[in-house]
Amino acid sequence: MQSEESHELADGMPNEESKEMMKSQKADRKKKKLKERLLKEATKADNRGVCYLSRIPPHMDHVRLRQILSQFGEIGRIYLAPEDPEAQVHRKRAGGFRGQLFSEGWVEFAKKRVAKRVAEMLNGEQIGGKKKSTIYYDIWNIKYLTKFKWDDLTDEIAYKSAIREQKLTMVLSAAKREKDFYLSKVEKSRAMTEIDARMKKKRKIQEESGSNAEAAPVYPPRVIRQFRQKKSITNETSQGKRGLSTDFLASV
């Protein structure tokens, strides 16, 4: 019996070891495939080129830009930076273009040589296309960025976003401190007013009753600060300016 049990255990061990070995081989193959894929992606990323557009014409978005530039070569990613929100509000109030405008943009080409050729060929040239198009007379402002990768752009965008969030947090914290300070002063003023009202009421009751009770403690009067205001400066130049005589105006 003992020999049969030991034989069964001996038969079971190789099966478990083979299963573990198969699992490790599969994991190694997956890692190898993933490594090869990452190497291919890195090689493709090294072969890509990025062009910078310093001006984006009105009525142009990433779809239209891709449609125009795709005829020169394969395009990867496109990023157009939206304009400042304050400038957009000011333009709309002034009755200008009410759509979305972009301040600058980046275009990624699949090949560096294509990106260089496109930048050299289009920079300073008229966009053209259909004459009825709103961007027909606009000029290309495009430049090839040497040794610039898309990861550099994403890092810069993330950095600017972090700075913007930090500034917003600082502004909000400063506003909260000012609000808390103002509310504390308001609460203190309200408490002092209530104390003054109670003390006046108590003194009035004591005077009416004519009691010889111990006089209530006298608190120091509230300090009301007076700030000297500056007088407005009159425009002496406009007042001292001599006007035209009525005789001269009549002769004109």
Side-chain angles (χ1 to χ4, degrees):
M1 292 291 292
Q2 188 175 2
S3 61
E4 291 178 359
E5 291 178 357
S6 62
H7 182 69
E8 290 177 358
L9 291 172
D11 291 338
M13 288 298 291
N15 292 332
E16 293 179 359
E17 291 179 356
S18 61
K19 289 180 180 179
E20 293 293 334
M21 188 178 296
M22 290 175 64
K23 288 181 180 179
S24 63
Q25 289 177 355
K26 287 182 179 179
D28 292 339
R29 285 197 295 270
K30 287 183 179 179
K31 289 181 180 179
K32 188 176 181 181
K33 289 181 180 179
L34 180 61
K35 187 176 181 180
E36 291 176 354
R37 189 172 62 187
L38 291 175
L39 288 174
K40 288 181 180 179
E41 291 293 333
T43 305
K44 289 181 180 179
D46 290 337
N47 292 330
R48 295 179 188 139
V50 180
C51 288
Y52 171 70
L53 285 82
S54 61
R55 180 183 178 275
I56 306 299
H59 305 280
M60 178 179 280
D61 55 2
H62 63 282
V63 178
R64 200 166 186 180
L65 182 62
R66 181 182 293 275
Q67 182 181 1
I68 295 173
L69 295 180
S70 294
Q71 58 185 337
F72 302 105
E74 183 182 355
I75 292 178
R77 291 164 287 191
I78 295 177
Y79 175 73
L80 301 180
E83 67 172 339
D84 186 30
E86 295 181 0
Q88 184 179 11
V89 172
H90 180 71
R91 186 186 70 253
K92 288 183 178 180
R93 287 179 179 175
F97 178 62
R98 305 190 66 83
Q100 175 67 57
L101 290 182
F102 302 95
S103 58
E104 54 186 355
W106 290 262
V107 181
E108 183 186 44
F109 287 86
K111 296 180 180 179
K112 290 181 181 179
R113 55 184 179 83
V114 175
K116 291 179 182 178
R117 186 176 71 248
V118 170
E120 292 175 357
M121 180 175 58
L122 295 183
N123 188 37
E125 297 294 330
Q126 185 178 333
I127 294 179
K130 296 181 179 180
K131 286 191 176 181
K132 293 182 179 180
S133 175
T134 55
I135 60 175
Y136 179 80
Y137 294 102
D138 277 291
I139 303 298
W140 285 109
N141 292 277
I142 184 170
K143 180 182 179 182
Y144 173 72
L145 301 178
T146 308
K147 297 181 180 180
F148 186 88
K149 301 300 179 184
W150 198 261
D151 293 338
D152 301 332
L153 175 61
T154 55
D155 293 341
E156 183 179 357
I157 294 172
Y159 176 71
K160 289 183 179 179
S161 177
I163 291 177
R164 185 168 58 253
E165 291 292 335
Q166 186 177 4
K167 287 183 178 179
L168 181 61
T169 303
M170 292 174 63
V171 170
L172 291 177
S173 61
K176 185 177 182 300
R177 286 196 301 269
E178 291 179 1
K179 185 191 73 173
D180 294 340
F181 178 77
Y182 173 76
L183 291 178
S184 65
K185 292 298 182 183
V186 170
E187 184 66 23
K188 185 176 180 181
S189 177
R190 187 183 64 81
M192 294 294 295
T193 304
E194 291 179 355
I195 291 173
D196 292 342
R198 287 199 301 269
M199 295 304 299
K200 288 179 181 179
K201 185 177 180 181
K202 189 173 181 180
R203 283 195 296 268
K204 185 177 180 181
I205 293 172
Q206 288 179 356
E207 290 175 358
E208 291 177 352
S209 62
S211 59
N212 294 326
E214 183 180 355
V218 179
Y219 292 94
R222 294 177 61 185
V223 178
I224 300 176
R225 295 181 176 87
Q226 298 291 337
F227 296 95
R228 184 169 58 86
Q229 302 294 329
K230 294 182 179 179
K231 295 182 179 180
S232 60
I233 301 173
T234 57
N235 192 354
E236 297 178 356
T237 57
S238 61
Q239 292 180 357
K241 187 176 180 180
R242 298 180 60 184
L244 297 174
S245 63
T246 56
D247 296 336
F248 176 77
L249 293 175
S251 63
V252 173

